[in-house]
Amino acid sequence: MGSKTGFMNRKREEPSKQDPLHRTQNWLEYQIPLSDEKITEQASRCMDCGTPFCHTGILFQGRDTGCPLSNLIPDWNDLVYRNRWKEALDRLLETNNFPEFTGKICPAPCEGSCTLAIHDSAVSIKSIEQAIIDKGFAEGWITPNPPTQRTEKKVVIVGSGPAGLACADELNKQGHEVTVLERSDRIGGLLMYGIPNMKLEKSTIQRRVDLLIQEGIQFVTNMEVGKNISMEQLQSDYDAVILCTGATQPRTLNVEGSNVAGVIYAMDYLTDSTKHLLDPNDHTLSFNAAGKDVIVIGGGDTGADCVATALRQKCRSVTQFGKHPSLPQDRAEDNPWPEFPYVFSLDYAYEEATSRFEKDPREYCIQTKKILRDASGSVQELHTIQMEKSVDENGEVTFREIPGTEQIWPTQMVLIAIGYSGGETAFYEQVGVEYTNGKVKTSYGEYQTNLECVFVAGDARRGQSLVVWAIHEGREAARECHKYLTKSAIQ
C-alpha cells in the first residue's frame, strides 16, 4: 500500500449532507461528495491487511459479508491514493457494471467486513467508489465501447432492473444481440421507480441506459410478456430468454381494515411519486401525503424512503412502525465482524423527520391490530399494541403482546412497507417456469430454469435482496447463458 500508516494518521470522513430542513424542499440528491483531496486521504486508510475480507462476497449465517461483486477494493484504494484514477476506474469496472448506482444506494456490506472496522471506523469504501466513477464520467473516460464482432445469437431479457441491465451489458460485450423488454414506461425497474430521486437521481440511470444503447443494446418499454407478447413467441424469436422480473409481490397486512381507501403499498406510493416528479404535467398524483398524518408500517429501507417522500409532499406528521426493538449502538455478540453490522443509525429520512418534528419518527416493537375508516370509507385511525420480543436458547424468536399498551393513532394515509413475498406467481404459471416460495426454481449455483433456453436472475431467483446482489446475479446468469449459446453454436 502507498501509505502504511494512513489508518493511524487519519480518521474516517464521510460526504456532508444538505441541511435536513432545506433538502426536504426539493427532490435532489442530498449528499455532497468529498473533494478529490479528501478522497485520496480516505483511500490512504486502507490497510495492508494481508487477507482482505471486504471483497469476500459471501453469505455467512444468512448475513451479508463483504462485497457480492468481489470488487478489488484494496487495489483501487491504493491506485486512488497514488492519484492513478484512470487505472482505479479500470479496476473498478472489471467487477462492477454500474458503480454509479451502488456508490449511491448500496448499504456497503464491504465496509462492515473491513479489517480496520474490527477496532476503528471502516475505510470509506463506498465514498471512494462513488468518487472513482464520478471522475470517470467527468473526465470523459467512460465512452461507448460496442463489441468489435457480433455473434449470430439473439437474447431477450425480461425486466430492466439492476439484474437485467447487468445481464444485458455482459452478454452484449460477448457480441450477442441483446433486447431488453420492460413493462413500465421507463427503463430501470427498481432503480427507476423503487428508489426515490433524492437517493438516486433518475438522470444517472438514463445516462447509463443511453450508453448501453450506443453500445448496441435495444430497449423496448411498455412491453409486458403475457400481455403484449407471449413467452412462446420469445422462445421462437430468440436463442435465449432471461427472466429478471424481480420480487414485486408485496407482503399483505392481514389485519381488519387493511383494504380501506388510504391504505397503500409502499412501492405503489413511491412509483406514483417518481412518475409525477418526472412528468408533472402528464401524471397527476394518485397518493399525496400533503396535510396528512402518515403512518408507515415496516421498519426497513423502503419504509424510510416512504418517510422521506411524505416529508417532501408536506405531510402533517409521519410515524414509522417497526416490529423489532431498536438496534444496539454497538455490534451484538451474535453479529460479529466480518458480518454486516446491524447497529443503530440515523438514516437520511429519520434525520429529516427529526429536524422537522423534533422527534425520531420510529416506533419500535409495535403491532398493528386494526384499521378503521370514516363515514366516507377512507382510513381514519389505526389501533396498535406494544410487543415484547424474546429469544430462547435455540435462537427461536417469539413476540408477546403487552397488555395495557393499546394505542389509537389518527391517520389519513397508511403505507405498507413490510417487504415482498417473491415474484408474481401468476406470471410464472403463465410462462411455465417452476417456482417455489415465490422464487423461480433453479439448480444450486445455476441460472437455467426448467424450460429449455430460459434463464433467471436477480430477485426473481433469490428473493428480495440488495441491488449489488442483483448485479451479481445478472453477471452470473449472463456467464451461464453465454456458455449455453456457445455450446449450441458448436453443436
Side-chain angles (χ1 to χ4, degrees), residues 29 98-101 104 130 132-140 142-144 165 187 192 200-215 219:
E29 290 181 5
F98 314 121
E100 68 269 36
F101 303 157
K104 294 177 185 289
Q130 185 62 50
I132 294 171
I133 190 67
D134 284 349
K135 196 170 188 67
F137 277 108
E139 296 291 335
I142 300 175
T143 57
L165 292 178
I187 298 299
M192 179 60 69
L200 179 61
E201 291 187 4
K202 305 314 163 187
S203 58
T204 300
I205 304 169
Q206 192 58 51
R207 178 180 62 184
R208 176 59 69 170
V209 171
D210 291 342
L211 191 66
L212 295 175
I213 291 173
Q214 293 175 67
E215 292 177 336
F219 292 95

Side-chain angles (χ1 to χ4, degrees), residues 167 170-171 445 447 474-484:
C167 194
E170 291 296 304
L171 287 169
Y447 294 80
R475 291 171 62 91
E476 294 291 295
R479 183 196 65 204
E480 295 303 308
C481 181
H482 176 64
K483 288 180 181 178
Y484 168 83

